[in-house]
Amino acid sequence: MANPMDPILIEFPESFETERLLIRAPLWGDGVSMNVAIGESLEELKPWMPFAQTSPTLDESERFTREARLDFLKRNQLHMRVFNKTTGSFIGCSGLHRINWELRNFEIGYWIRSSCAGKGYMTEAVNGITDFAIRELEANRIEIRCSARNIKSAAVAERAGYTLEGILRRERLGLDGEIHDSKLFSKVRGVEF
């Protein structure tokens, strides 16, 4: 593997599959399917996601997609799109963020379109991305952080076998303007994998 201080030289696949899902890096043109999913899911996403405070335009979604593609190529953040492997339909977004290449530490973030919620897709995606980070990126630590009020997001972390390390009290400003506690979940090499 390349020098950890030079992440742009690190080679790894841009896509992989799980039982039901295709998970891949963003591609030019993905903004349309993402935009439709955000529009459909705006009310569920609004309390948790800054980008979902208003319905984005198609151009805004495509711009985000193209910037996410460039971030992936630069290895700054590894945004990923989640698709149903059978139908090809867009399910949601996930990826690896807050990357520390020297320590091989990552944070997984995610959101799912409302019509796909409750079917285990995001738990499957998180498990797949976790395996990808361990296998392809030699992860030492993988975190999931969420507002302590975001019960559904915390449930995904729990179902994916992440350990609740603790509650960070009054740690984040919620989109409702109130200060929220955060839940910090993790998997660590030598402990959970």
Side-chain angles (χ1 to χ4, degrees):
M1 187 159 276
N3 179 337
M5 296 307 292
D6 196 1
I8 203 160
L9 297 176
I10 299 172
E11 299 273 345
F12 51 84
E14 290 199 7
S15 68
F16 56 92
E17 295 182 0
T18 63
E19 182 181 343
R20 300 178 294 167
L21 305 174
L22 167 65
I23 302 170
R24 65 163 172 75
L27 298 175
W28 264 223
D30 282 350
V32 173
S33 58
M34 187 177 79
N35 185 273
V36 171
I38 292 170
E40 167 193 312
S41 311
L42 205 57
E43 290 309 307
E44 290 81 10
L45 295 173
K46 195 172 193 172
W48 317 115
M49 300 294 178
F51 65 81
Q53 298 311 292
T54 59
S55 191
T57 67
L58 283 173
D59 283 348
E60 288 169 336
S61 294
E62 185 60 25
R63 176 184 253 313
F64 176 82
T65 294
R66 291 179 183 214
E67 289 172 353
R69 173 75 183 153
L70 295 173
D71 280 341
F72 192 98
L73 293 172
K74 291 177 184 177
R75 311 307 196 217
N76 295 334
Q77 294 191 70
L78 303 179
H79 294 276
M80 297 179 190
R81 303 293 188 258
V82 180
F83 295 88
N84 181 302
K85 196 163 67 172
T86 304
T87 67
S89 62
F90 178 87
I91 290 176
C93 289
S94 189
L96 297 165
H97 314 289
R98 294 187 190 189
I99 297 172
N100 180 326
W101 285 109
E102 185 176 11
L103 296 177
R104 300 292 173 141
N105 292 349
F106 306 89
E107 180 182 332
I108 296 180
Y110 44 84
W111 66 267
I112 191 165
R113 78 185 303 164
S114 296
S115 62
C116 296
K119 299 175 182 170
Y121 289 130
M122 198 48 66
T123 301
E124 183 176 333
V126 166
N127 284 329
I129 293 168
T130 300
D131 291 343
F132 172 82
I134 294 166
R135 184 181 65 254
E136 299 292 339
L137 307 178
E138 300 176 8
N140 286 310
R141 176 181 174 83
I142 308 166
E143 295 181 351
I144 296 174
R145 294 172 181 243
C146 64
S147 168
R149 299 179 188 183
N150 191 341
I151 294 165
K152 291 181 179 181
S153 187
V156 169
E158 291 165 356
R159 284 192 302 272
Y162 277 72
T163 299
L164 177 62
E165 284 192 348
I167 307 287
L168 306 175
R169 297 178 300 162
R170 298 180 59 80
E171 190 264 343
R172 68 171 58 207
L173 183 62
L175 294 169
D176 57 5
E178 295 181 22
I179 299 175
H180 293 211
D181 294 346
S182 292
K183 288 188 172 184
L184 172 59
F185 297 90
S186 70
K187 283 191 176 187
V188 178
R189 181 175 296 280
V191 180
E192 288 92 3
F193 60 88

